[in-house]
Amino acid sequence: MSSSTEATVADWSAGRHVMAGELFLGLYQPSPETAGFWEGVARGELLFKWCAACARAYHPRRIICPQCSSTQLAWRPASGEGKVYSFSEVHRAPTKAFGRGAPYTVGLIETAEGVHYFCRIVAQQGAAIAIDSPARLDFRVLETGQRLPVFVVSAEGAR
Amino acid sequence: MTKLANNCAIAGITRAIGLRSDQDKKTPLQLVVEACSQLMRQTGVGRNRIGALFTGRMPRSYMTLQYSQSLVNELKIAPMFSTEVTSHGGGALGTIELAVLALNAGLIDYALCVTGEASPIWIDMIGGSANWEADLQFEAPYGPTTPALYAQSACRYMHECGITAEQMARVAVENRRWALHHPYAAMRAKGPISVADVLNSPMIASPLRLLDCAPWFPGGIASAALITRAEIARDVCAEPAYIAGFGQSNTHEWVGERMGTWGVGPFEQGPSMVRTGARIAAAQAYAMAGVGARDIDIVETSVPFTYANLLMLEELGFCAEGEGGRFVEAGGVDFDGGLPFNTTGGYLSFGQSGQGLYLLKEIVDQMWHHAEGYPVANVETGLVHGHGGPLACHSVMIVSKQPTC
Ligand SMILES: [Zn+2]
């Protein structure tokens, strides 16, 4: 996949090509149920879907609340607080582009909202990523040029 | 409820294998048709008697809408039912489960169930794979690989149950010993491996090293099974295998959604990266068959990483929850004297190619002494576990030489 979020945010219909090696698998694009999330990312915000009746946050692309079956869900900014739930350090990257950043860590962050958010986990210098390490939301430009929400484990937080 | 156990039987099961190195490279449709040809000639059940065609998911290397109809068209059959059964790898056994329902209801007499894949012949699997296993919009942009997605469960499993890398390695070592006897096993020529070999192999996605991961099978495999009611199976087959019990559980899609699922199936008590629908599917299968894990003589599973094999031994009831590591460490699945487990070499050493019903064929072959690899003595009852979608879809089937109840 290519292209930065900022460049495509204005026109969701442009889509992105998904390749398997040299084989074109199809057009993949954010759609109306997820466009709000990517508009948030473009503004530097991490948004979760929120059911006000249940006071419960969801991610990604929740259209219906599994608890009360309401479809009246709204986008709401995440607090940005969380801790590492699971992680894996990727040594063999899926593409050449990602390979430039390897090894890097992907994993699930247990956010303060209760959402388990799959993302890149970044360790500040002197910090180590471990289960339960406190982590904070930030944004980074990844190897593909895409600017995305990540969670950062800080040296102080890890102690 | 109508009694389902042992009412239907596998009246024949065949396979076709194509290799990437073959002069004439085969598509999955060619392989599937080859398997069907063998099956129809072997059983004498011709195209005018096929009441249902259930295929596994559309092969990645033969993407066409209405895939099952491609096969209807090729075989010139006219079944009452024709459909793909998906749910990732869980759909392979699902084809037979739906066939049993239709047969048991008396709607049809013969069902043709097929699976086939030949991706490693035609597609760059390393580059393309993660795009099939990850959510393209919310996960793939972060650069996960298939091992890195599965590693999320490995990470929690080790943390919650104290599983060690040595225990995980042990299953790779034992699977390899079976593979050394199988003419088609991908890793046969590599010879035996030790626990130290696994622990010293390059890190792929922590905690998973190269030898913790299944290699791709260097080709494609198609399998075809003819399912009929037990009372007519003997008319077309001298060596039937009774379908004693089955179960299935499908929970979520993509790793990032796993922890967002609660209140259903294996997540009744809350979400988990460790517990899976395999335990639900296994419990259903055992209950239907009227047997327990101690009655099982052979087990085949489709999980492609070492830790997941230990975990499935727990989920399928061969040891207690959290005991998968100690069970394997104590020789529970040793080639010498342990439970015969992944007797073709498993995904770890046979290689993976969307085996589908080939795993079931291995059990039937062992039962009737036609194994392609190392023979297991006295197989009366076997269990096969098909799975897909990073531990999201699970199907379990118990087959037996004699009715179990
Ligand atoms: Zn609600």
Side-chain angles (χ1 to χ4, degrees), chain A residues 51 54 65 68:
Chain A
C51 178
C54 297
C65 172
C68 71

Side-chain angles (χ1 to χ4, degrees), chain B residues 249 258 266-267 274-280 311-312 315 391 394:
Chain B
S249 175
R258 186 179 194 90
F267 308 132
V274 178
R275 295 303 142 200
T276 72
R279 57 175 43 208
I280 306 283
L311 178 57
M312 286 308 123
E315 299 284 85
L391 303 175
H394 298 265

Side-chain angles (χ1 to χ4, degrees), chain B residues 71-245:
Chain B
L71 196 53
V72 165
N73 186 53
E74 182 61 37
L75 299 176
K76 291 288 178 271
I77 56 179
M80 180 177 183
F81 302 110
S82 159
T83 194
E84 277 171 62
V85 186
T86 58
S87 74
H88 294 277
L93 292 171
T95 60
I96 296 185
E97 295 163 5
L98 294 182
V100 167
L101 298 183
L103 288 160
N104 217 44
L107 294 172
I108 59 168
D109 289 333
Y110 294 99
L112 179 57
C113 298
V114 302
T115 59
E117 187 48 279
S119 297
I121 298 179
W122 302 102
I123 295 179
D124 166 13
M125 297 307 286
I126 306 293
S129 182
N131 279 348
W132 290 92
E133 303 279 9
D135 182 316
L136 289 175
Q137 193 171 159
F138 293 99
E139 295 171 7
Y142 289 109
T145 54
T146 298
L149 295 164
Y150 275 90
Q152 305 304 320
S153 285
C155 173
R156 292 301 304 190
Y157 184 38
M158 294 174 90
H159 176 73
E160 292 175 26
C161 300
I163 301 297
T164 68
E166 287 78 6
Q167 292 169 336
M168 285 158 50
R170 184 72 174 268
V171 82
V173 170
E174 297 304 325
N175 276 198
R176 178 64 61 89
R177 295 179 72 190
W178 288 99
L180 298 179
H181 300 275
H182 199 291
Y184 284 100
M187 305 307 276
R188 182 190 188 192
K190 303 269 188 186
I193 51 171
S194 65
V195 166
D197 289 334
V198 181
L199 299 181
N200 292 324
S201 64
M203 189 63 87
I204 300 297
S206 70
L208 304 174
R209 294 178 179 275
L210 182 67
L211 293 176
D212 287 303
C213 307
W216 290 105
F217 180 77
I221 304 175
S223 306
L226 186 72
I227 314 298
T228 186
R229 280 186 299 281
E231 82 252 13
I232 44 181
R234 288 274 179 190
D235 297 345
V236 295
C237 164
E239 300 176 341
Y242 290 89
I243 298 163

Side-chain angles (χ1 to χ4, degrees), chain B residues 234-317:
Chain B
R234 288 274 179 190
D235 297 345
V236 295
C237 164
E239 300 176 341
Y242 290 89
I243 298 163
F246 57 81
Q248 195 170 154
S249 175
N250 306 290
T251 46
H252 60 283
E253 185 76 326
W254 316 129
V255 166
E257 288 276 17
R258 186 179 194 90
M259 293 301 293
T261 307
W262 79 96
V264 291
F267 308 132
E268 210 61 89
Q269 306 306 315
S272 168
M273 288 300 287
V274 178
R275 295 303 142 200
T276 72
R279 57 175 43 208
I280 306 283
Q284 291 167 347
Y286 286 132
M288 190 186 294
V291 302
R294 74 180 66 80
D295 301 308
I296 302 297
D297 304 314
I298 183 172
V299 179
E300 307 293 330
T301 173
S302 70
V303 288
F305 295 95
T306 48
Y307 83 90
N309 281 276
L310 308 193
L311 178 57
M312 286 308 123
L313 288 164
E314 297 178 19
E315 299 284 85
L316 300 173

